[in-house]
Amino acid sequence: MSEVQLEKLLIDPPAEFAAQANAKADLYEKAAADRLAFWADEAENLDWFKKWDKVLDDSNPPFFKWFVGGKINACYNCVDRHVKTWRRNKAAIIFEGEPGDSQVLTYDQLYGEVQKFANVLKSLGVQKGDRVTIYMPMIPEAVIAMLACARIGAPHSVVFGGFSSDALRDRINDAKAKLVITADGGWRRGKVVPLKANTDKALEEAPTVEKVIVVKRVGDAAQINWVEGRDLWYHELMAKADRHCEPEQCDAEDMLFILYTSGTTGKPKGILHTTGGYLTQANMTMRYVFDIKDTDVYWCTADIGWITGHSYVVYGPLSAGATVVLYEGGPDYPDKDRFWAIIEKYRVNIFYTAPTAIRTFMKWGLEYVQRHDLSSLRLLGTVGEPINPEAWMWYYKHIGGERCPIMDTWWQTETGAHMVSPLPGITPLRPGTATLPLPGIEVDVVDENGEPAKEGYLVVKSPWPSMMRTIFGGDECYVNQYWSRFNGKYYFTGDGAKRDDLNYIWVTGRVDDVLNVSGHRIGTAEVESALVECQEVAEAAVIGKKHEVKGEAIVAFVILKEGVQPSDELVNKLKKHVAAKLGAFCRPDDIIFTAELPKTRSGKIMRRLLRDIAEGRAIGDTTTLADPGVMAELKEKYASKEE
Ligand code: WTA
């Protein structure tokens, strides 16, 4: 089927699914009739120490508050309350290590571990409000660490294990973290990720950190240094820790975590989330969008270093009492069927992954899929970037066996939880679109002036419970980045979008200088500043070029300093530098040396034209260029490079 036809396709919800679905069609009406009452009802699904006085405080926009006056603890909601029910002996976490080791933690066991670790944190002087950085592989201790922080009201800042030591250092320093939790290493494609060594390096320039807790994961496979007085083994601390630790009674608006993400500036922003509203929406979407049932085994493949890992590996599913699969390693280790092997092994019912992964699986071929019995699956999800209709169809047919609804969920680090998504059993599905805003969520497509449009910018028109509250240490930046574009009226997502004949929303991708490479957000400015740090580089302009598997690939146009000769060695050196500075996933695919960059008369680089060159298109309007001749030279350069 061609892409054009796929885009018109409509798949009705199967009656059997609809009959058992958690979400009922009247949710939309209910939310439309009284939005705040709807959210208050959803918040009732959590356990509160004290109920809120007010659902929404909008007296100081855009600094909104939800469930004001309420007292709650996120860890209590993810663990303690389940232990009081029959779920006590239910599996909370099914862990699969990359080398093939596995471990099951019941809710009761998780309860014990989390309390012990909360006591460890307290004994090291961590108090309510102190920030803790977590730099770990995908192992149960990472979840235990997050929940233990939440238990004592210490906000965590999880830094993805794929980030470099420099990136880790910057994030530790911005958060002024008191303590770092890491591991000796983690397994990735049969190799050790040197987490402890990276931490050591980061801490050379991170004065606020007093202690480092190290989980022994890879043992002899990693040679690590030990700083006496600073470094402490997790297992030694845990052996001595008491199993009882009362959860802190947090305010609904107490900070739960900071999570750094890329924006349009050279510096990552610490997105700040609070407790009550965040947990309400993470929990609600777990029940309605993912239709979670007590009998389900649920697997989200995201790393806990990203928001998807926060909301849909930890807080959403555990607050719903679900059984969560946690997998440490890569999809192609030891072979390209690893994901399907895991689904078969644990009889996974609900599976959530990214379009870039799906496109990779398509490329690898069906033989890996067909080795395994995937009949346990009943619902699929996707997130991170627009999914092309072909990939959607492949996922639907070959992974879901044409029986599983696909939830294409649009949301962001900033939104905290799903915003635009079908509801399974209710919304007719169409390949490539996240369809409609969820009940209680007011998302729209508007033009430059904020007027509703068929095509334009994606905005959120009213506050929602799991919205970011600010940028850590950057209230002004929060207002400028998200609220100034539409004069304080709407939240600006940074995404472009269209509406189709059914009013379904098609997110077309970022309209700002943020790239989406394999579902990872990377600011062009971050890569550019890493490049100009190199002594050979005078100037750099970075763009995203369409890529079949990654969505976008990084292309850098670089002007060298006087007297520096371009060479293949230099290309490699610069690529390596960016990877070391930011993390391997930020490594540019192409670096092109040039004498000039296309700039307007006011000196602004016209990235649009650079993209035309990189994607081999006819070059767009160059009339505003200071020197239109630049383009011919660049085009020639790029063409000769491609040969
Ligand atoms: C993109 C990930 C289209 C979008 C949860 C957004 C999507 C950015 C989708 C946020 C989707 C995420 N369809 N685009 N279903 N989901 N995006 O902060 O550009 O890592 O702004 O959060 O990913 O990325 P972030």
Side-chain angles (χ1 to χ4, degrees), residues 278-338:
Y278 170 79
L279 203 62
T280 296
Q281 199 169 327
N283 179 266
M284 172 274 224
T285 48
M286 234 12 249
R287 285 180 286 110
Y288 295 153
V289 178
F290 288 154
D291 194 51
I292 195 80
K293 300 278 175 15
D294 260 318
T295 42
D296 285 322
V297 174
Y298 162 88
W299 183 22
C300 162
T301 65
D303 193 280
I304 49 144
W306 309 114
I307 191 70
T308 307
H310 282 59
S311 305
Y312 297 105
V313 176
V314 181
Y315 291 110
L318 295 179
S319 71
T323 295
V324 178
V325 173
L326 193 71
Y327 171 54
E328 177 186 28
D332 51 354
Y333 194 87
D335 204 352
K336 297 188 174 72
D337 66 340
R338 187 64 186 268

Side-chain angles (χ1 to χ4, degrees), residues 98-99 185-194 218 221-222 328-330 333:
E98 192 186 78
W187 291 111
R188 188 81 195 175
R189 301 202 163 90
K191 296 207 183 83
V192 171
V193 184
V218 299
E328 177 186 28
Y333 194 87

